[in-house]
Amino acid sequence: MAYQNRLTRIEKVLDYIHENLEESIHVTNLAEKSCWSRWQFQRVFGQATGLTVAQYIRELRLSKAAELLLSSKTRHVDIAIQCGFDSEISFSRAFKQMFNCTPRNYRQRGKRYGLRTPLQYRSLHKTHTDTEKTFTQIRIESRDDFQIQGRYDWIRGPFSSAPDFSERVPQLWSTVMAEIEDIKKGARPIGIIDTQDHALHPDQMLYWAGYLEPIKASSPTTFNGAKPFNATLDTVKVPLQEYAVIPVHGKATAIEKALEWFIFQWLPESHYYGVQGYELEIYEPDYDPNNPQSYMEYWLPIKPR
């Protein structure tokens, strides 16, 4: 009960922040609303979210400003005031620190990237989870077209009538890694899921396992009874897309829970539609699927409502 009360207090503070972004918000006042001292509140907030209060408020304000830059012709100074900044100079400085470009350049590019969305409670059933961060924040990113080298297989996903991804995906990754003689240091493993409709595979998705950096392949091998692989890896091209980026902490089994939360809770309450396309699993170079401290990101294609 104490754990749930703690989360309820944080949720009330988050609601207040979301409803008053245009106003001055002070940590001392937030602490009073939470019934903790300022120090206690900052510690509890950081443990549950992974962010400081000031960082969270600043990122939300700047994300709102970035959206206004793309969706309106409002002057920069008016956007600055609307998003809680006291001057265009302070706004531009903070904006460049977060997005690595000026507000003018962001508007000229015309693409969403680096946007933070409001934190949401992670559990579907409002119970204790085995993740350290109880609240999750989704990023909105546009990614230009790119290609990877790797291998592919047809899989049935978690929402299929007969899912087999938990067996076939690890097998595919094992095969890809066995073929590779020399992975360039720092190359990031990436999984690509083609969720578009395929007439010959109505209940399946095409899963690619590969790397973002060029790599070599060894002699041909056979996978699941299929024809031998060629000496060079296959290539898949992913078009320009806009994504919702889900952070996933922990073992690989946490991915399924994160997707369930995103589809059933976050997406219906957001300002976005899910669309068919290419979903991405982007891993750290040293990612270990069995390590509870691992981290990866799941990118789902979306479009504004």
Side-chain angles (χ1 to χ4, degrees):
M1 181 63 69
Y3 177 84
Q4 187 59 54
N5 289 339
R6 175 162 64 92
L7 297 181
T8 300
R9 290 183 185 181
I10 296 177
E11 285 183 296
K12 289 180 178 179
V13 170
L14 290 174
D15 287 341
Y16 178 84
I17 292 174
H18 302 158
E19 294 171 1
N20 295 276
L21 274 179
E22 299 177 11
E23 309 296 330
S24 295
I25 301 176
H26 301 286
V27 175
T28 301
N29 293 337
L30 295 178
E32 291 176 354
K33 294 180 183 297
S34 71
C35 301
W36 284 300
S37 70
R38 176 172 177 165
W39 178 84
Q40 291 168 337
F41 169 67
Q42 290 177 305
R43 180 177 181 180
V44 172
F45 188 92
Q47 184 183 42
T49 68
L51 300 166
T52 67
V53 179
Q55 177 187 1
Y56 179 59
I57 294 173
R58 183 174 62 253
E59 289 182 351
L60 282 189
R61 286 174 170 170
L62 290 170
S63 295
K64 179 180 178 180
E67 186 65 57
L68 288 171
L69 287 170
L70 299 181
S71 61
S72 73
K73 296 182 180 180
T74 306
R75 297 185 307 165
H76 293 180
V77 62
D78 294 329
I79 290 177
I81 300 302
Q82 184 176 343
C83 294
F85 292 88
D86 55 11
S87 71
E88 185 176 359
I89 294 176
S90 62
F91 165 63
S92 297
R93 184 186 302 115
F95 192 95
K96 189 171 183 179
Q97 288 176 344
M98 178 169 172
F99 295 104
N100 295 316
C101 72
T102 65
R104 182 180 302 279
N105 289 339
Y106 196 97
R107 174 172 268 173
Q108 289 174 342
R109 292 179 185 178
K111 297 177 182 177
R112 292 177 182 84
Y113 65 89
L115 270 66
R116 268 61 167 183
T117 64
L119 286 161
Q120 286 195 16
Y121 191 85
R122 175 58 187 275
S123 174
L124 283 169
H125 305 294
K126 301 288 184 178
T127 57
H128 194 292
T129 67
D130 56 3
T131 59
E132 181 181 357
K133 303 299 181 289
T134 309
F135 293 85
T136 296
Q137 186 176 42
I138 300 297
R139 290 199 329 270
I140 306 300
E141 299 277 3
S142 291
R143 189 181 185 118
D144 291 334
D145 59 307
F146 69 98
Q147 66 182 34
I148 71 162
Q149 294 176 293
R151 293 300 188 209
Y152 62 87
D153 189 24
W154 291 99
I155 66 169
R156 290 183 172 86
F159 304 110
S160 169
S161 58
D164 61 6
F165 69 98
S166 60
E167 298 83 28
R168 299 185 73 86
V169 169
Q171 289 176 346
L172 183 57
W173 275 108
S174 296
T175 301
V176 170
M177 296 182 69
E179 284 191 278
I180 298 168
E181 295 176 343
D182 179 30
I183 302 177
K184 185 177 180 181
K185 186 177 181 180
R188 300 194 69 178
I190 179 171
I192 297 177
I193 305 96
D194 181 357
T195 64
Q196 301 171 95
D197 294 328
H198 298 276
L200 298 179
H201 300 268
D203 190 36
Q204 293 179 298
M205 301 179 292
L206 192 60
Y207 184 97
W208 287 81
Y211 291 82
L212 288 171
E213 297 287 343
I215 50 182
K216 300 177 183 178
S218 61
S219 58
T221 59
T222 301
F223 174 58
N224 282 354
K227 63 181 181 180
F229 288 134
N230 296 324
T232 58
L233 295 174
D234 299 313
T235 300
V236 59
K237 295 182 178 179
V238 178
L240 166 68
Q241 290 185 148
E242 190 167 274
Y243 300 88
V245 182
I246 309 172
V248 182
H249 299 268
K251 299 179 181 180
T253 52
I255 299 175
E256 186 176 354
K257 293 180 181 179
L259 282 175
E260 182 181 8
W261 167 81
F262 177 87
I263 292 172
F264 289 102
Q265 184 170 326
W266 189 89
L267 195 58
E269 298 176 4
S270 73
H271 300 292
Y272 297 91
Y273 289 115
V275 297
Q276 288 183 306
Y278 293 87
E279 300 179 2
L280 312 179
E281 297 174 341
I282 301 182
Y283 303 92
E284 293 300 309
D286 57 350
Y287 180 80
D288 179 355
N290 297 312
N291 187 341
Q293 304 302 318
S294 291
Y295 176 77
M296 59 86 65
E297 294 181 341
Y298 202 100
W299 295 44
L300 286 100
I302 56 170
K303 67 177 182 179
R305 294 189 184 182

